[in-house]
Amino acid sequence: MPRISIIPTQPKFFDFFEDSVANLTKATEAFADLLENYEDVPRKVARITELEHYGDAITHQIMRQLHRSFLTPIDREDIALLADRLDSVMDFIEDAANSMLLYRIEKPTKRARELAAILVAVSKELGAALPLLRRHSKMKEILNHCVEINRLENEADAVTRLALAELFEGASLAEVIKWREIYEHMENAVDRGEDVANVLEGVVLKNG
């Protein structure tokens, strides 16, 4: 006679997270490509918006499943925070891309390209860290990725400071206003990536 479990099957939260971070990596790479090969801008920005919408759909799936689930593989609060912070990274990347289109930026700056490269690196670290949640024996390895993300966030802060200093040296007021907003969106994206790392660190400490 087959055994019937009264415990509901746990939903595939880890699948959702891995799908989300894979989508995020696509977005950061698309954004970096926009800045490195600044052409066909409307199409490239539309692609980033498309990825952001897909990310929203994953976030909604996570939250909908969370509300329906009795058991979760990690704390419910951590699941909600991870979903929210990953979504926020995507939002700020889309904001930066849309601002470049809206303000008709003629040419990306060197510092913007550097920040975009940092965003790609952060997304790849997250992409390596999140799958480790599946295996308790591997969870502590997440901390190595968190340390690297923290280093990247510090690097982004330094690049942003240089970018603003250079901007105020010779740019027109209009350019200062435009680029200051774009840099802020990019820095916020990196910061939210560090927030994801902080949540992951907390998960490791709770389950270590």
Side-chain angles (χ1 to χ4, degrees), residues 20-46:
S20 180
V21 78
N23 186 63
L24 173 61
T25 299
K26 289 179 184 178
T28 59
E29 290 176 339
F31 184 60
D33 175 68
L34 169 67
L35 298 186
E36 289 292 337
N37 304 286
Y38 201 63
E39 57 191 16
D40 201 7
V41 175
R43 181 186 64 80
K44 290 184 176 181
V45 171

Side-chain angles (χ1 to χ4, degrees), residues 31-32 35-36 108-122 152 155-163 166 179 183 186 190:
F31 184 60
L35 298 186
E36 289 292 337
T109 65
K110 174 185 175 183
R111 302 305 177 192
R113 292 194 295 272
E114 290 174 358
L115 285 170
I118 291 171
L119 275 168
V120 172
V122 168
L152 288 165
E155 183 180 339
D157 283 346
V159 171
T160 302
R161 285 193 294 271
L162 280 173
E166 292 168 359
W179 274 107
Y183 288 143
M186 296 175 75
V190 176

